[in-house]
Each structure stands twice: as C-alpha cells, then as structure tokens.
C-alpha cells in the first residue's frame, strides 16, 4: 500500500471490477453502489473498475458497422470507450446519492498509458498519482475499464473483455491487497453452469490452471488479466454481485498428482493449417505478429520436405488471417471448428491423462482434427456438431463421475 494511505485510516486497498451484467440496469447499479459503500464504511480503500452496461459495447459496434463497413480504428476506440464512461458516471452518481463521495475517471484520467495500437492496445505504464490522491481524500474512485491513452494522447482500447486487465493492472500499480472480479456467476465451476447442470463449484484454483481454462473458453475472467495477476502475484477473487454465498479464490499453489479439475470450450474457433517451406512459414508468422493477430496453440512439424504449421484464432480474427494468407498466396486450409479442453494438475507428466482422453474419444467414435497439450490442459479440436457430446463425456468421465 502506498505510504500515506494507512495514516488516513484505510485498512486495505481493494480493486473491484464489475462486469456488464452487474451494471446492466439502474437497479443493478444501485445494488453495486450499496455493496461498494458497505466495503467503504468498513475502512477499505476502493478503486472500482466498470464495464459498459450489458450489451452496450455490442450495440455501439453495430452502429459503427451500420455507418461504415470498415470503420477507422481510432474512431472505433472513441466510440467504444463511451460505453464504460456511461457506467462510471452513473455509478458515481449513485454513490453520491447515498451520501458518500466518489469520483469517476476515464482510463486517460486514471493515468493508464498504452501503446498506440488502436482496438488492441497494451498497457505500458500506469501513473496512478491522481487515483492515490483521491483515495487519500477518502473518495471511492471509479475507473472506466478497457481503455487508456497513448503517448500521442490518443484514446485507445485494450480489446474485448479488457476491463479485467484494467482492474488487475491497477491493482499492481497502486499496490492493492487484492483484486475482486464481480460478474453474474459466483466463481469458477467444473464446467459452464449455464450449459451443464451437474457442474460443481470450485472454491480455490491456481493461476496457471485458471489461465488455461479462460484461454480455452471459460468466461469468468479474461486470460490476460490472469496472466498479469500471476506475474505480479496479485490475489484475485471471482465472485457474483448478485448471488453472494460462494466465490473462487485464485492463488499460486497447485496440487500434486494427476487430477482433472474443470472443462472449458470454445463454440467456434478458426482452425488454420498451412504447408510451406520454412522460410515462408517464417514470413507468415512475421505477418501475423505484425498485425498483432493472437495465434493460439501454434504447432509446427517438418517432414524433411515441407513444414506444416497449424494454429487457431478466435472467429473475429478469421478475416485478417485469411487476408494475410491470401495476400502472400500461401497454401492453406481452414475450418470453423469447436474446441473442448480439460484442465488440471500433473497433465504434462502423465501418459495416463492422454490415454484416458483417447479412450473416451475412441469409445464415443468421435473424430477429431487435432489434440494438443499444455502444462495444465489437453484440448481437442472437433467438428462443431460434437462439441456438446465431448463436453459432457469429459465432464462425466473425468471430473464428476471419477470418484
Ligand atoms: N465493454 C468491453 C467489452 O464488452 C470491455 C469489457 O467489458 O471488459 O468487451
Ligand atoms: Mg467482460
């Protein structure tokens, strides 16, 4: 905690983040204000990061597409940052209305300095002096999520779902005791509780496993925020602003032994495979990197004649990948597929984990395009029509039915 804050009777500093569903309506915003005030009265110094109300960001994007088929990225950032600005101002008003003092800041006013890549900027530095001084004055600070300002004083956004990253980055910058991410689900489950009735709640998880689960499709928090929290050792809590009994604590400790903990899935991924000589593969990767395309799970083999590269991207990046590959006249194949992943401990060191997965897929006669692994995960790329079946088989056989 920065010196000076403790003398002001602030016992601890917490950064809280409220997602779009938590601030979806005027009543929800009032509820959130109430929860914030309760914490404030207990002596917690609060920095609150908000997302845009419910579907506002999608709606603004829709307007942009109605005006132009190819909107300028700078103007897109100007437009989309307005969503968070609405929720931050309303929340601050609600707090004042209950007799407490708050102040709302845009990303730029909060001192969040980014690079100048519009629509997918990275945070370079946070100059948090204004936030700290407001905390010293006993105010609740509300910050618009997912945005910052570049050195050229242009307004930037961090990419979809970026408010989680804002929250964790601020927690690092001001030395917060922890970061609490509030959404409409009360933490992490062994499968998406909206899709799977017998999903079990997970009270504790380590950063690395959580990173994988979110990277492969769990929506509780953005993977970039998890990575940042792991790097700077910021404790995170995943909770609901509506159902308050349960929450998930994220810590650095992992368990030993092979143990599957949860599954995640992506309904739609854009799967790409190309064959070319190694120089060309280098060129392709270079182009993808320059355009800041987030290629995921890249896999490269060389048969002595040609090199074969495969990877996947989220569907919204499919067009830019196709454009790059078409412009270079490369040979490639693509597929809109689904991905199902199962994550846990001790997976990289265990042939048992892979054997079990193959047996399940073989017994279920499920064709797959690719199986990949990380330290914590085995993932399978399948035709979209098999997603649900693989999900329920994995969940039943590897997690709930195991004991
Ligand atoms: N409002 C932005 C989005 O919908 C950022 C966020 O919510 O994290 O992607
Ligand atoms: Mg979100």
């Amino acid at each position: 905690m920065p010196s000076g804050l403790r003398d002001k009777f602030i016992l601890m500093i917490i950064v809280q983040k409220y997602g779009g569903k938590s601030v979806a309506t005027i009543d929800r915003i009032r509820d959130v204000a109430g929860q914030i005030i309760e914490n404030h009265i207990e002596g917690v110094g609060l920095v609150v990061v908000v997302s845009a109300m419910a579907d506002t960001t999608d709606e603004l994007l829709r307007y942009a597409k109605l005006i132009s088929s190819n909107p300028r990225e700078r103007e897109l950032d100007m437009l989309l940052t307005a969503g968070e600005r609405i929720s931050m101002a309303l929340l601050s008003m609600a707090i004042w209305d209950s007799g407490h003092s708050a102040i709302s800041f845009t990303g730029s006013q909060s001192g969040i300095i980014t690079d100048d890549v519009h629509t997918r900027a990275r945070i370079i530095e946070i100059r948090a002096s204004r936030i700290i001084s407001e905390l010293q004055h006993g105010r609740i600070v509300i910050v618009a999520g997912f945005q910052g300002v570049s050195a050229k004083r242009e307004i930037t956004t961090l990419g979809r779902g970026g408010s989680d990253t804002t929250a964790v980055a601020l927690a690092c910058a001001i030395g917060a005791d922890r970061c609490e991410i509030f959404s409409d689900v009360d933490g992490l489950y062994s499968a998406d509780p909206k899709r799977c009735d017998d999903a079990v709640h997970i009270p504790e998880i380590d950063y690395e496993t959580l990173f994988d689960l979110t990277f492969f499709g769990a929506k509780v928090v953005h993977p970039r925020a998890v990575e940042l929290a792991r790097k700077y050792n910021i404790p995170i809590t995943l909770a609901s602003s509506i159902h308050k009994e349960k929450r998930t604590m994220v810590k650095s400790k992992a368990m030993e032994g092979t143990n599957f903990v949860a599954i995640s899935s992506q309904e739609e991924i854009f799967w790409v495979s190309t064959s070319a000589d190694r120089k060309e593969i280098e060129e392709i990767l270079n182009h993808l990197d320059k355009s800041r395309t987030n290629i995921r799970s890249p896999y490269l083999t060389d048969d002595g004649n040609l090199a074969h590269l495969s990877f996947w991207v989220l569907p919204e990046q499919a067009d830019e990948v196709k454009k790059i590959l078409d412009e270079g006249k490369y040979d490639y194949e693509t597929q809109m597929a689904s991905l199902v992943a199962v994550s846990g401990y001790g997976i990289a060191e265990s042939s048992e984990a892979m054997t079990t997965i193959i047996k399940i897929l073989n017994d279920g006669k499920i064709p797959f395009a690719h199986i990949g692994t990380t330290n914590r995960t085995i993932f399978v790329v399948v035709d979209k029509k098999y997603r649900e079946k693989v999900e329920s088989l994995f969940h039943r056989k590897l997690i709930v039915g195991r004991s």
Side-chain angles (χ1 to χ4, degrees), residues 269 271 335 337-340 367-371 379-383:
I269 63 160
W271 178 257
Q335 187 193 348
S338 286
L339 180 154
V340 183
F368 55 83
H370 183 88
I371 295 188
F379 68 89
V380 188
V381 177
V382 290
D383 191 284

Side-chain angles (χ1 to χ4, degrees), residues 17-32:
K17 182 258 171 175
Y18 292 91
K21 296 258 168 59
S22 301
V23 292
T25 61
I26 297 302
D27 284 342
R28 282 271 152 81
I29 294 178
R30 283 218 177 88
D31 290 346
V32 165

Side-chain angles (χ1 to χ4, degrees), residues 78-96:
M78 292 303 263
L79 180 70
L80 296 193
T81 48
E84 272 66 15
R85 212 165 161 143
I86 294 170
S87 14
M88 77 180 197
L90 291 175
L91 181 57
S92 179
M93 289 175 197
I95 293 170
W96 278 106

Side-chain angles (χ1 to χ4, degrees), residues 17 20 51-52 57 84 146 159-164:
K17 182 258 171 175
S51 283
T57 308
E84 272 66 15
F146 135 94
R160 297 303 306 266
S163 297
D164 293 342

Side-chain angles (χ1 to χ4, degrees), residues 280-298:
E280 281 177 330
I281 297 281
E282 193 185 322
E283 264 169 36
I284 295 173
L285 288 168
N286 221 334
H287 287 310
L288 292 166
D289 181 40
K290 284 228 174 74
S291 72
R292 208 169 266 188
T293 309
N294 298 63
I295 68 162
R296 296 178 168 210
S297 318

Side-chain angles (χ1 to χ4, degrees), residues 184-300:
D184 58 336
V185 277
D186 49 2
L188 182 72
Y189 280 77
S190 60
D192 183 347
K194 288 171 189 148
R195 297 171 49 76
C196 185
D197 290 341
D198 52 355
V200 287
H201 185 262
I202 300 175
E204 242 182 52
I205 189 120
D206 65 293
Y207 295 108
E208 210 180 329
T209 311
L210 180 65
F211 174 84
D212 273 22
L213 285 163
T214 56
F215 183 83
F216 290 113
K219 298 274 186 301
V220 270
V221 55
H222 198 281
R224 199 169 149 192
V226 181
E227 175 63 9
L228 202 60
R230 186 193 61 76
K231 198 163 152 195
Y232 294 99
N233 212 7
I234 304 285
I236 330 183
T237 314
L238 307 173
S240 160
S241 55
I242 305 149
H243 314 286
K244 299 185 183 169
E245 296 79 43
K246 294 185 215 142
R247 41 176 58 199
T248 297
M249 314 284 277
V250 188
K251 301 191 171 142
S252 51
K253 239 171 102 190
M255 283 180 262
E256 277 210 299
T258 308
N259 191 5
F260 290 113
V261 175
I263 63 163
S264 56
S265 72
Q266 299 271 4
E267 181 187 4
E268 207 167 56
I269 63 160
F270 187 64
W271 178 257
V272 183
S273 57
T274 78
S275 296
D277 67 41
R278 280 173 41 177
K279 196 72 211 152
E280 281 177 330
I281 297 281
E282 193 185 322
E283 264 169 36
I284 295 173
L285 288 168
N286 221 334
H287 287 310
L288 292 166
D289 181 40
K290 284 228 174 74
S291 72
R292 208 169 266 188
T293 309
N294 298 63
I295 68 162
R296 296 178 168 210
S297 318
Y299 189 78
L300 189 58

